[in-house]
């Protein structure tokens, strides 16, 4: 057992009271019976993964969705108990749960504390009720404030607030008001994302329908860009450090779990659609919730563990798909395009130690070109995006693919 090596865990709770208009995540509404069966299957997957996890020290856990806070507090306690019984979890682990305003109460928050959860991420998105309604959110700003203050009163100190820009009906002025209201609350962490209209969502259909009628319902590109610049300006002025392209934190409150993704730390994902990076292999779980529950709970005779004498590994293999053993080339690509999301950039020394190759031999030419174009810069032994490079980050990162 090598507990010097760290691992993150992600638990996917796919249930929502209502799916937001812009959401293309694997989530949906469900009845109580489905939630109960899914929770049992999730715990079973955790139990079957015991040996994988015991080779590491788990230092971050993220319970995401969907809306994990739709589950009863006692259910979250059961899930966390299963984790602790099957994985070595660090005493100072960062354990996050995503909550939608209006879906939590004092009882749930106390259950989270009892379960060892020490970080809450609230999906506010906007401080204006009309804008929230425009994207299909179920809460109001007042409900968010009630939830936020309730979490503070319960003793949660590490709280994130998610914000979105580029929303239908949103203006630079209204977005500034949202930023100012959130800054006034002084949360330790703020995530600020631009709305991405994904095909297949209700939002995509609305935008397409409006365009067919000659109407534009989203902010113009220049106004959305100004929202992006305003985010950085106001948050930095308020004492938030931008440590990743879309994330800002007070000193000591950067999200360790998400940083692990960008630094290619190994992690296991539990639940439908959850992805994993384990011993340089990427894979994800099946999206089909019925198949997921049947395999793990043995309700389909095909997967009857007594009849087939399937091992834990065999059962897990039935719910895993898209396995990809990463080549050295693919590992180097990920190291670069994921690492460049971080404001500190990528460590040339770490690159050379990990891949046993001089950085200049692999990426020297492209780095030199982007430095000349003022898209990248050297900061000690790190190579990172410049402000202009951040604006063109997708282009820059793509160039690091062989």
């Amino acid at each position: 057992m090598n507990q010097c090596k760290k691992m993150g865990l992600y638990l996917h709770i796919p249930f929502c009271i209502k799916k937001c208009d812009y959401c293309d995540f694997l989530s949906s509404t469900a009845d109580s019976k489905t939630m109960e069966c899914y929770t049992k299957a999730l715990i079973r997957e955790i139990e079957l993964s015991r040996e994988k996890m015991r080779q590491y020290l788990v230092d971050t856990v993220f319970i995401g969705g969907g809306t994990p806070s739709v589950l009863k507090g006692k259910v979250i306690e059961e899930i966390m108990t299963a984790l602790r019984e099957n994985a070595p979890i660090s005493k100072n682990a960062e354990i996050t749960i995503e909550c939608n305003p209006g879906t939590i109460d004092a009882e749930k928050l106390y259950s989270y504390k009892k379960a060892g959860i020490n970080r809450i991420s609230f999906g506010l998105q906007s401080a204006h009720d009309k804008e929230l309604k425009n994207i299909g959110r179920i809460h109001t700003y007042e409900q968010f404030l009630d939830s936020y203050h309730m979490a503070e009163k319960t003793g949660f100190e590490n709280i994130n607030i998610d914000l979105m820009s580029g929303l239908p009906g949103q203006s630079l002025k209204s977005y500034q008001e949202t930023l100012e209201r959130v800054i006034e609350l002084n949360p330790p962490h703020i995530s600020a994302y631009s709305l991405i209209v994904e095909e297949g969502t209700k939002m995509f259909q609305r935008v397409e329908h409006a365009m067919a009628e000659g109407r534009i319902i989203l902010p113009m590109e220049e106004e959305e860009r100004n929202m992006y610049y305003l985010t950085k300006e106001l948050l930095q002025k308020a004492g938030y450090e931008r440590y990743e392209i879309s994330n800002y934190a007070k000193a000591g409150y950067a999200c360790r779990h998400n940083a692990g993704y960008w630094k290619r730390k190994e992690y296991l994902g539990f639940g439908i659609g959850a992805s994993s990076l384990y011993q340089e292999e990427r894979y994800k779980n099946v999206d089909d919730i019925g198949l997921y529950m049947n395999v793990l709970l043995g309700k389909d005779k095909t997967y009857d563990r007594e009849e087939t004498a399937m091992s834990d590994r065999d059962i897990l293999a039935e719910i895993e798909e898209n396995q990809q053993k990463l080549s050295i080339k693919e590992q180097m690509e990920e190291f670069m395009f994921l690492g460049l999301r971080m404001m500190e950039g990528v460590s040339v020394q770490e690159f050379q130690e990990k891949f046993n190759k001089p950085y200049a031999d692999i990426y020297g030419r492209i780095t030199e070109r982007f430095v000349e174009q003022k898209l990248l810069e050297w900061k000690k032994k790190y190579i990172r995006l410049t402000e202009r490079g951040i604006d063109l980050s997708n282009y820059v990162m793509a160039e690091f693919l062989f």
Side-chain angles (χ1 to χ4, degrees):
M1 185 191 306
N2 178 13
Q3 289 197 0
C4 290
K5 198 167 185 181
K6 306 294 178 60
M7 167 182 275
L9 303 179
Y10 173 79
L11 283 69
H12 187 65
I13 309 298
F15 308 120
C16 292
I17 293 176
K18 173 184 176 295
K19 196 173 181 73
C20 299
D21 293 356
Y22 59 85
C23 180
D24 72 331
F25 294 157
L26 187 56
S27 61
S28 65
T29 58
D31 57 32
S32 58
K33 183 64 176 176
T34 300
M35 292 186 189
E36 180 183 351
C37 289
Y38 181 83
T39 300
K40 290 180 180 178
L42 183 69
I43 289 174
R44 184 61 181 148
E45 186 187 1
I46 290 169
E47 293 170 345
L48 294 176
S49 303
R50 181 186 303 108
E51 292 309 311
K52 281 186 176 181
M53 294 186 289
R54 287 195 180 279
Q55 300 177 50
Y56 299 81
L57 181 64
V58 175
D59 66 342
T60 67
V61 178
F62 197 101
I63 307 172
T67 308
S69 51
V70 301
L71 296 181
K72 294 179 180 178
K74 292 296 182 183
V75 174
I76 297 296
E77 287 185 54
E78 291 172 11
I79 293 171
M80 286 302 304
T81 296
L83 277 184
R84 295 186 187 281
E85 289 177 346
N86 292 279
I89 297 182
S90 170
K91 290 182 179 179
N92 66 343
E94 173 194 270
I95 305 177
T96 304
I97 187 168
E98 288 185 331
C99 297
N100 272 9
T103 63
I104 64 168
D105 53 33
E107 184 177 352
K108 287 183 181 180
L109 288 167
Y110 282 117
S111 286
Y112 299 164
K113 291 289 284 188
K114 184 179 177 182
I117 294 170
N118 51 30
R119 185 174 184 271
I120 288 185
S121 180
F122 282 115
L124 169 59
Q125 317 312 355
S126 171
H128 295 275
D129 291 348
K130 185 175 181 180
E131 292 174 4
L132 292 171
K133 187 176 181 180
N134 283 342
I135 57 175
R137 299 292 284 181
I138 63 169
H139 66 273
T140 64
Y141 181 60
E142 194 63 35
Q143 286 176 313
F144 158 75
L145 288 177
D146 289 344
S147 298
Y148 183 85
H149 292 312
M150 196 185 306
E152 285 188 316
K153 186 177 180 180
T154 309
F156 284 95
E157 297 177 356
N158 194 351
I159 301 177
N160 168 64
I161 299 176
D162 279 348
L163 301 178
M164 294 183 73
S165 59
L167 305 179
Q170 190 178 53
S171 66
L172 184 61
K173 181 176 182 295
S174 71
Y175 181 63
Q176 180 172 341
E177 289 170 353
T178 287
L179 285 172
E180 290 172 344
R181 290 178 185 179
V182 169
I183 288 170
E184 190 174 348
L185 294 172
N186 197 35
H189 192 286
I190 296 174
S191 298
Y193 304 98
S194 295
L195 172 67
I196 299 176
V197 181
E198 300 285 1
E199 192 169 353
T201 63
K202 288 184 179 180
M203 183 62 67
F204 183 87
Q205 296 172 357
R206 285 171 52 196
V207 171
E208 290 284 292
H209 181 71
M211 289 178 64
E213 294 182 342
R215 296 181 295 110
I216 298 176
I217 62 174
L218 299 176
M220 300 298 287
E221 184 177 348
E222 182 179 356
E223 186 169 31
E224 185 178 351
R225 204 70 198 157
N226 287 334
M227 293 178 187
Y228 167 81
Y229 293 130
L230 184 65
T231 304
K232 177 190 170 186
E233 177 188 343
L234 293 187
L235 293 186
Q236 288 190 340
K237 191 179 295 184
Y240 290 89
E241 178 187 359
R242 185 187 197 184
Y243 68 95
E244 189 272 341
I245 287 178
S246 301
N247 286 277
Y248 300 77
K250 298 283 188 177
Y253 286 97
C255 179
R256 288 156 47 195
H257 184 84
N258 287 341
Y261 292 144
W262 303 313
K263 294 181 178 181
R264 298 192 73 253
K265 185 176 78 173
E266 290 181 84
Y267 62 94
L268 290 178
F270 299 106
I272 57 171
S275 297
S276 298
L277 173 62
Y278 182 73
Q279 297 182 353
E280 296 303 345
E281 182 179 37
R282 287 197 181 274
Y283 58 90
K284 66 182 288 293
N285 284 350
V286 294
D287 292 347
D288 188 320
I289 190 171
L291 175 61
Y292 176 82
M293 293 190 296
N294 285 341
V295 170
L296 289 165
L297 301 180
K299 293 187 175 182
D300 188 317
K301 65 180 180 180
T302 306
Y303 307 109
D304 190 313
R305 291 186 283 279
E306 292 184 2
E307 289 184 12
T308 61
M310 293 175 72
S311 68
D312 292 356
R313 180 63 262 175
D314 290 336
I315 296 170
L316 289 174
E318 294 292 339
I319 62 165
E320 296 169 358
E321 59 185 12
N322 300 332
Q323 289 88 349
Q324 178 190 8
K325 192 69 176 179
L326 298 174
S327 66
I328 296 298
K329 177 178 74 69
E330 290 167 329
Q331 293 174 41
M332 289 191 293
E333 290 176 343
E334 287 191 357
F335 185 92
M336 295 304 299
F337 72 72
L338 290 174
L340 284 173
R341 289 192 62 90
M342 302 291 288
M343 293 301 100
E344 70 176 3
V346 295
S347 166
V348 172
Q349 180 178 341
E350 186 179 343
F351 180 94
Q352 294 175 167
E353 291 174 352
K354 181 174 179 61
F355 301 111
N356 198 28
K357 296 177 184 291
Y359 177 86
D361 289 357
I362 309 299
Y363 289 120
R365 186 172 298 177
I366 186 173
T367 299
E368 184 178 334
R369 173 160 62 89
F370 281 140
V371 168
E372 289 177 356
Q373 295 175 7
K374 300 189 184 308
L375 299 176
L376 290 176
E377 64 182 2
W378 287 97
K379 184 71 172 179
K380 297 181 179 179
K381 293 184 179 180
Y382 285 77
I383 188 74
R384 66 181 189 180
L385 293 167
T386 62
E387 286 299 321
R388 182 167 178 265
I390 293 173
D391 290 346
L392 300 172
S393 59
N394 289 339
Y395 162 67
V396 175
M397 292 173 187
E399 290 296 298
F400 281 90
L401 304 180
F402 290 105

